[in-house]
C-alpha cells in the first residue's frame, strides 16, 4: 500500500509545473479582462454616459455569486480580495476614481479596511477631517470612507445632503472584524437581496425604546452610533426614504442616509 500511495502522489517538480501553467493561464485571463475595461469606457462614452461608473449593487451580486460557487480550497477571503482588486482596477481605467479617508482615532485601521474594500487601484488620500472626506465624495468619481466613531457624528450631515449616500459598510466579512467604517459617494443605492439600511433620528428616546417602536412595524433595528443628540441605526433590509413605516418612527429630524450589503459571511 505504501508503494501505491507514493506512486499516486505527484512529485514536487510536477506540482510546480502545474502551478506555472496555471499562472500563465491566469495572467492571460487577467489581461483579457483588463482590456475589456477600455471597451466598457468607450461604449459608455459613445452612449453619452460620462458619470461615475461605481455600481455597488452589481459588485455585491458578483461577490455573492462567486462565494456561492463550489470550491475545493480557495477561501472567501482569497476570493473577495482578488475580485475587489480586479473590479477596482477595471473602474480606475474608466475614470479618475479616487478615495478620501478620514480615519478618526484609528486611521491605520480605517485605511486598511478601505484597501480591503476598494483595492489598490484608486488613488487614496488620508484627510484631516470628516468634512474633507465628504468634500471628496462630492467630487466627480470620489468616494469617502469614514469611521463609525461617537466623537465624529459625520453621518448626521447626510440628512441635509441627499445626493451623498452610504453604500458600503467595512469590512464586508465578519471574520475581518465588526463593522467599523462606512463609505459614501454620489451613487445610486439599490437592493441586493441581503442589505442593511442606515437611518438617523434625533429622538430623545432611549435606543431600546426606539428599537421597540420600530419593531411594532416589523422593522428590526440596531443602534450603531450615537452623538450630538443624533442616533444612527442599522435597519435589517432595504428601505426607501419614503417608506411609510419610517414616517411613523420616533424623532422630528429623521431620514435614511443609504444602504449597504450585509457582511457576506453572516
Amino acid at each position: 500500500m505504501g508503494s501505491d500511495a507514493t506512486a499516486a502522489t505527484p512529485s514536487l517538480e510536477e506540482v510546480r509545473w502545474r502551478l506555472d501553467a496555471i499562472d500563465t493561464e491566469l495572467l492571460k485571463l487577467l489581461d483579457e479582462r483588463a482590456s475589456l475595461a477600455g471597451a466598457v469606457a468607450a461604449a459608455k462614452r459613445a452612449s453619452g454616459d460620462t458619470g461615475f461608473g461605481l455600481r455597488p449593487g452589481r459588485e455585491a451580486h458578483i461577490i455573492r455569486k462567486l462565494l456561492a460557487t463550489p470550491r475545493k480550497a480557495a477561501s472567501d477571503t482569497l476570493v473577495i480580495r482578488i475580485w475587489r482588486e480586479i473590479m477596482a482596477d477595471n473602474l480606475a481605467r474608466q475614470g479618475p476614481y479616487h478615495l478620501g479617508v478620514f480615519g478618526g482615532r484609528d486611521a491605520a485601521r480605517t485605511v486598511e479596511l478601505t484597501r480591503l474594500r476598494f483595492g489598490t487601484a484608486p488613488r487614496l488620500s488620508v484627510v484631516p477631517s470628516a468634512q474633507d472626506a465628504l468634500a471628496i465624495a462630492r467630487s466627480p468619481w470620489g468616494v469617502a470612507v469614514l469611521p463609525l466613531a461617537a466623537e465624529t457624528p459625520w453621518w448626521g450631515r447626510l440628512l441635509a445632503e441627499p445626493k451623498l449616500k452610504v453604500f458600503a459598510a467595512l469590512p464586508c466579512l465578519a471574520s475581518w472584524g465588526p463593522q467599523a467604517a462606512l463609505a459614501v459617494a454620489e451613487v445610486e443605492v439599490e437592493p441586493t437581496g441581503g442589505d442593511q439600511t442606515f437611518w438617523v433620528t434625533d429622538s430623545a428616546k432611549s435606543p431600546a425604546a426606539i428599537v421597540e417602536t420600530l419593531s411594532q412595524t416589523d422593522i428590526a433595528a440596531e443602534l450603531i452610533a450615537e452623538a450630538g443628540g443624533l442616533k444612527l441605526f442599522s435597519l435589517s433590509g432595504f428601505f426607501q426614504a419614503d417608506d411609510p413605516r419610517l414616517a411613523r418612527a420616533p424623532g422630528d429630524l429623521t431620514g435614511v442616509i443609504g444602504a449597504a450589503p450585509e457582511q457576506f459571511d453572516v
Side-chain angles (χ1 to χ4, degrees):
M1 288 182 64
S3 60
D4 290 342
T6 301
T9 302
S11 67
L12 181 57
E13 290 73 16
E14 290 173 320
V15 174
R16 285 174 173 168
W17 177 88
R18 180 60 180 148
L19 287 172
D20 289 343
I22 291 173
D23 287 344
T24 299
E25 187 63 21
L26 280 174
L27 179 58
K28 178 181 177 181
L29 292 172
L30 279 173
D31 188 53
E32 181 179 358
R33 196 186 194 288
S35 69
L36 291 175
V40 169
K44 286 183 176 180
R45 286 193 297 269
S47 66
D49 181 3
T50 58
F52 194 4
L54 180 64
R55 298 292 182 269
R58 173 169 165 73
E59 290 185 4
H61 284 303
I62 290 172
I63 295 294
R64 286 204 183 103
K65 182 178 179 180
L66 291 168
L67 295 182
T69 301
R71 289 163 276 146
K72 293 182 179 179
S75 67
D76 289 354
T77 294
L78 177 63
V79 171
I80 288 178
R81 293 202 68 177
I82 288 176
W83 261 269
R84 287 296 192 200
E85 288 288 353
I86 290 173
M87 290 186 288
D89 182 79
N90 181 289
L91 187 56
R93 291 171 183 268
Q94 297 179 41
Y97 186 21
H98 59 290
L99 310 168
V101 180
F102 170 64
R105 292 183 177 178
D106 194 353
R109 175 59 173 163
T110 309
V111 170
E112 177 190 23
L113 293 177
T114 302
R115 284 307 191 194
L116 285 172
R117 172 58 178 82
F118 296 101
T120 56
R123 175 170 54 86
L124 185 151
S125 301
V126 177
V127 296
S129 71
Q131 293 90 328
D132 293 322
L134 293 176
I136 288 177
R138 297 184 197 100
S139 67
W141 290 73
V143 169
V145 177
L146 308 101
L148 282 171
E151 69 271 13
T152 311
W154 58 266
W155 32 269
R157 291 175 172 268
L158 301 190
L159 289 173
E161 297 195 54
K163 288 185 177 181
L164 290 179
K165 294 182 176 66
V166 173
F167 69 89
L170 286 58
C172 66
L173 288 178
S175 61
W176 290 346
Q179 292 182 347
L182 301 177
V184 178
E186 291 190 353
V187 294
E188 291 299 320
V189 180
E190 301 172 335
T192 71
D195 303 289
Q196 57 181 319
T197 298
F198 299 99
W199 177 75
V200 176
T201 179
D202 66 348
S203 173
K205 291 185 176 181
S206 70
I210 295 172
V211 168
E212 174 60 26
T213 301
L214 291 172
S215 71
Q216 294 172 8
T217 53
D218 298 322
I219 299 176
E222 178 185 2
L223 180 74
I224 58 175
E226 181 177 6
L230 295 176
K231 299 177 180 71
L232 173 63
F233 286 85
S234 170
L235 311 181
S236 180
F238 186 89
F239 291 83
Q240 300 284 357
D242 58 355
D243 190 294
R245 291 171 293 176
L246 293 177
R248 299 190 295 272
D252 296 320
L253 179 64
T254 68
V256 169
I257 61 169
E262 295 177 338
Q263 291 181 312
F264 295 120
D265 57 343
V266 296

